Amino acid sequence: METKKKNIAILGSTGSIGTQALDVIRANSDIFAVEVLTGNENADLLIKQAIEFNPNAVVIAEESKYLYVKEALKAFDIKVFAGNKAIVEVVTMDSIDMVLAAIVGYAGLESTISAIKAEKQIALANKETLVVAGDLVTALAKEKGVNLYPVDSEHSAIFQCLAGEFQNPIEKIYLTASGGPFRGKDKNFLATIKKEQALKHPNWEMGAKITIDSASLMNKGLEVIEAKWLFGLKPEQIEVIVHPQSIVHSIVQFIDGSMKAQMGLPDMKLPIQYALGYPQRIKSDFPRFNFMNYPQLTFEQADTKTFRNLALAFEAMNKGGNSPCILNAANEIAVEAFLKDKIGFLEMSDIVEHCLQTVSFINKPSYADYVETDTETRRVAFNQLSNLTIKQ
Ligand code: NDP
Ligand code: MG
């Protein structure tokens, strides 16, 4: 008897995670089917994906591209919608079993919440969702009986180490960080960096925003907050350790002192596949690790003096309330400005710090408070941007 395929909705299918998820689904079409695909503005890729995977529906967030997508898919039995509201609505479709949340940034929050409310299982790539509103999102998931399967490689590593250990208390976790392309550099060097250099990550190929976040160590800061919510940890139970080879993807230390690590070559397809297929491990032909190619795996402390973003993220997590939401919004504006050559690399941290100091603190924010905090922080960050001189 043929078992029923798992119907997946991929939010952000045209991105780095989205396209790799489709690679996984293509290779396992006996297990998975695509029910929904969404993109922001890359209509041509969305159309191409729709024709290949024949989903029930596609959504293009950019409404001006609706007619273009509709026309291109008119010969197919595929529903076409446009706009962010449509993404929030489409995830509630009965036929969806699991939603892969792979939109980048705050923009992914509302659709993830909508999917949890509709009791869809979630494969979570969009870490910003937990950074912004981790308390509300994890409480809602618990209430609805929804599991949040981590896609982020470090969190997938922790999750894999915890399989069979869910009743055993965690003493602490070590989140590994590659250190990014500027590991070991000082502030004078960082001040001269252009986006082309920052966009070259040594071990991972990712979307532009997370690549810049990795270079500035903000990505690790966001991941620390993500881990706190995913695994119910106290801030002091989370430690970052720099591991430039990106082979050990993270480590759990249990209360008996035993440590479990998950290892493998850096390839996002593995954590994506684990999240989509859980609890099943699916046979893959991904390249295998060879010890002789990595005779040395090294570990060092993160330099939070030079890479202030990591320290700012810890600070925001410790303070709690809407502070991580402020951190995230300020960082999104800062990264966008850096990618447009409006500010230098170090000024990204200046903007984040300024917003953390300026935007009003709320101890127990509601969803509406988070939305308001995001809007207000973006306003403050924009103001601060215009105060900064453009560096050549
Ligand atoms: P990309 O920038 O490559 O892709 C983002 C996706 O979201 C695209 O499909 C994009 O559409 C869509 N999108 C962007 N803005 C909006 C919006 N306002 N409304 C609706 N859709 C939008 O990002 P990544 O795939 O690299 O990252 C996705 C998420 O996964 C991030 O949260 C990131 O932190 C996380 N992640 C990524 C990893 C990676 O290896 N890439 C690793 C671990 C976590 P379009 O293409 O049309 O612009
Ligand atoms: Mg990661």
Side-chain angles (χ1 to χ4, degrees), residues 127 152-155 210 219-220 223:
K127 62 190 86 186
D152 215 343
S153 60
E154 297 77 2
H155 306 72
I210 182 174
N219 181 51
K220 209 49 55 180
E223 290 185 354

Side-chain angles (χ1 to χ4, degrees), residues 10-20 38-43 45-46 49 59-62 65 83-84 87 101-108 111 124-129 151-155 204-211 213 219 222-223 226 267-268 271-272:
I10 306 183
L11 311 185
S13 65
T14 52
S16 161
I17 292 289
T19 50
Q20 292 181 83
T38 82
N40 188 33
E41 50 175 15
N42 191 344
L45 182 54
L46 187 66
Q49 293 176 339
V59 188
I60 183 91
E62 177 53 56
K65 305 227 166 155
N84 285 105
I87 301 180
I103 290 175
V104 59
Y106 178 86
S111 48
L124 188 69
N126 178 253
K127 62 190 86 186
E128 294 91 347
T129 287
V151 168
D152 215 343
S153 60
E154 297 77 2
H155 306 72
W204 302 95
E205 285 232 4
M206 310 174 284
K209 191 231 170 206
I210 182 174
T211 305
D213 284 348
N219 181 51
L222 301 179
E223 290 185 354
E226 180 186 15
D267 181 348
M268 280 311 294
I272 292 169

